[in-house]
Amino acid sequence: MNDWFTIDKIDEETYIISEYRHWEETHCYLLNGTERSLLIDTGLGICNIYDEVIKLTDKPVTAAATHIHWDHIGGHKYFPDFYAHENELDWLSGGFPLPLETIKTYVTDRCELPEGYDANTYEFFQGTPSRVLRDNDIIDIGGRAVQVLHTPGHSPGHMCFWEQARGYLFTGDLVYKDTLFAYYPSTDPEAYLKSLERIAELPAKRVFPAHHSLDIQPEIVIRMRDEFRKLKDFGKLHHGSGVFDHGDWGLWI
């Protein structure tokens, strides 16, 4: 199972841990501070991400998911110190709106599973966070301050993480190159636009998405915001409007 994860370095204190053998190509981000490390998302949980993390830091690790979906909290079971947004706490205690059997199909679909892996053993992580996050909270890991931005739309408690000192914006499922999902009942297209409006104002130097291509520039946020604005102007920013293709990204509402 050692080839499940791919490691890339952003800088001397920041790493990307990716799961390219799954169709969603999930990315997790390890930020190392002088006191501790922050792991933004923990992936699908098919393989043990902790084994990769301890190769990259000797500090205590806190996990903070951008949101409580299976492909972002799968490895939380290895990190008892984890944070979650107040609006999705019920999803960590049995209230997630999809049954486990449906989640299993998303996990195993179009996926090159490791040899010997039994998909029937897959579980949706449940637990109590060590800290409940709210908008504009600061996560201080020693020499690095990361701001929590509540950016609902894809999910009620979705968060982006903004490290102003380095100009790093970690966008989770709010921004990435491919089809953005905003059609589930738990999504909110209007809130999605407001979140894009907010992060479009940030002086981001680099954007780090949770899925697919890492060849992504901050200007894509502006383009997404503008297309969402057009949909609203045309009265189409609501569930059931369909799929919209914009070249290097799309939207399903």
Side-chain angles (χ1 to χ4, degrees), residues 37-250:
S37 296
L38 175 67
L39 181 61
I40 298 175
D41 290 336
T42 61
L44 288 146
I46 291 174
C47 292
N48 188 340
I49 193 172
Y50 177 80
D51 290 344
E52 304 303 317
V53 169
I54 58 174
K55 298 174 186 176
L56 304 172
T57 181
D58 59 358
K59 303 293 192 299
V61 180
T62 297
T66 53
H67 58 299
I68 307 303
H69 281 175
W70 57 91
D71 50 325
H72 300 263
I73 62 166
H76 271 44
K77 56 191 173 185
Y78 305 114
F79 302 96
D81 182 22
F82 76 93
Y83 301 164
H85 191 272
E86 59 182 339
N87 287 7
E88 291 178 358
L89 297 181
D90 58 325
W91 288 2
L92 288 165
S93 56
F96 193 73
L98 287 178
L100 180 59
E101 292 307 311
T102 300
I103 293 172
K104 285 180 181 179
T105 65
Y106 288 131
V107 170
T108 59
D109 184 37
R110 290 180 283 164
C111 178
E112 185 187 345
L113 289 170
E115 184 177 354
Y117 180 76
D118 183 0
N120 292 319
T121 64
Y122 192 84
E123 296 179 345
F124 185 79
F125 176 79
Q126 302 282 266
T128 302
S130 51
R131 177 180 173 184
V132 175
L133 295 176
R134 296 172 176 83
D135 191 34
N136 291 319
D137 279 355
I138 300 295
I139 302 173
D140 186 347
I141 57 176
R144 303 182 72 172
V146 180
Q147 183 181 359
V148 174
L149 304 178
H150 180 213
T151 50
H154 177 75
S155 71
H158 189 283
M159 296 177 286
C160 291
F161 295 96
W162 168 235
E163 188 176 11
Q164 183 175 2
R166 301 188 190 209
Y168 291 174
L169 178 62
F170 301 90
T171 58
D173 280 9
L174 190 76
V175 171
Y176 57 79
K177 282 186 173 180
D178 208 279
T179 302
L180 304 176
F181 297 134
Y183 67 90
Y184 295 111
S186 56
T187 65
D188 184 337
E190 290 272 357
Y192 211 123
L193 171 57
K194 291 179 182 177
S195 294
L196 288 173
E197 298 268 13
R198 181 180 186 187
I199 67 169
E201 299 298 319
L202 298 173
K205 296 177 181 176
R206 298 190 67 179
V207 166
F208 299 104
H211 297 292
H212 303 301
S213 177
L214 293 169
D215 181 15
I216 185 170
Q217 302 301 319
E219 57 80 27
I220 198 172
V221 180
I222 305 299
R223 288 193 282 124
M224 289 179 173
R225 178 202 64 189
D226 291 348
E227 294 300 333
F228 268 75
R229 283 176 172 176
K230 290 177 184 177
L231 286 173
K232 183 173 183 177
D233 290 343
F234 291 133
K236 294 184 177 181
L237 192 61
H238 57 76
H239 291 152
S241 288
V243 180
F244 301 89
D245 185 354
H246 298 290
D248 58 351
W249 70 282

